Amino acid sequence: MQKLTIIIFLLIFNLNFGQEKVYKLISKTENSDINYKAFKKFDNLKIYKNDGLKKAFEPIKGKNDVYFFIADYKGDSFDGTRKTFHDYLILKVDPKTELILDGFQYTLEWAEPPAISDLYKLTEKNIKIYNGLELKFLKMELVESDYMIDWKTKLNENGILKITK
């Protein structure tokens, strides 16, 4: 457990200093919603089967707009190698006001199960979506679970949303 804590600390330390992530818009889906049922399964190991993690970021029918972003970046893996990581970000937005209503962020290559131990949820719900929005303004917090790490409850990463090309 101590070794795992050190590895996680090194990963976070390595990412937080000087590296700004760019969350590039992959899709915007109108008349949609976040698939909350899929995100509730993040505390179960079955989420790793059949691309369940990726499928959670696919919107379902609803009345809002859903934006899906990916930020890719280089970082140190738990095995000591340098690799590319992908942070997935999904945001539910009111189409009339452009206010962000909800959202989740997850690192696809998170190596330590269960997946919920790296799932962050938006807590700031009074922000309009716009190109260049800094991730820190969304105030994302770790989803509450039995696997929470006290010193990693807030998402403290430099990142911006890139909506336009």
Side-chain angles (χ1 to χ4, degrees):
M1 185 66 177
Q2 184 179 16
K3 190 174 185 179
L4 174 64
T5 303
I6 291 170
I7 290 169
I8 292 171
F9 175 77
L10 290 174
L11 284 171
I12 293 168
F13 180 82
N14 193 22
L15 294 176
N16 283 337
F17 294 97
Q19 187 174 9
E20 182 175 74
K21 297 177 187 175
V22 177
Y23 286 80
K24 297 175 189 165
L25 180 65
I26 303 302
S27 65
K28 175 187 173 187
T29 309
E30 296 176 354
N31 300 314
S32 58
D33 202 346
I34 291 175
N35 186 349
Y36 290 101
K37 286 183 182 179
F39 284 102
K40 287 181 181 176
K41 295 179 182 176
F42 267 55
D43 65 346
N44 189 317
L45 294 177
K46 291 179 184 176
I47 192 74
Y48 291 98
K49 294 180 181 177
N50 301 320
D51 280 335
L53 291 169
K54 288 182 180 180
K55 288 178 183 173
F57 287 88
E58 295 173 2
I60 59 173
K61 287 188 179 199
K63 62 179 182 172
N64 296 291
D65 292 342
V66 173
Y67 291 73
F68 172 55
F69 299 87
I70 296 178
D72 56 344
Y73 58 95
K74 295 283 186 191
D76 291 330
S77 179
F78 69 94
D79 63 5
T81 61
R82 196 101 171 125
K83 67 185 277 185
T84 301
F85 292 88
H86 302 87
D87 280 355
Y88 278 25
L89 175 67
I90 190 168
L91 298 173
K92 177 168 69 172
V93 177
D94 182 306
K96 293 179 182 144
T97 64
E98 295 189 336
L99 286 174
I100 301 170
L101 304 172
D102 207 358
F104 292 94
Q105 194 266 358
Y106 180 76
T107 303
L108 188 62
E109 293 79 11
W110 185 253
E112 185 63 30
I116 201 165
S117 61
D118 187 57
L119 182 63
Y120 290 86
K121 185 171 177 31
L122 177 128
T123 61
E124 177 59 56
K125 299 183 181 178
N126 200 20
I127 302 273
K128 282 190 174 188
I129 193 165
Y130 62 90
N131 193 47
L133 175 64
E134 293 182 45
L135 189 65
K136 67 181 177 184
F137 293 134
L138 300 180
K139 298 182 182 174
M140 301 196 86
E141 293 184 6
L142 195 60
V143 172
E144 193 170 322
S145 74
D146 295 336
Y147 309 98
M148 292 185 75
I149 302 169
D150 290 339
W151 53 268
K152 191 186 173 238
T153 58
K154 296 186 185 319
L155 186 64
N156 286 332
E157 297 182 4
N158 295 321
I160 60 166
L161 304 186
K162 185 172 182 180
I163 297 173
T164 59
K165 295 188 186 234

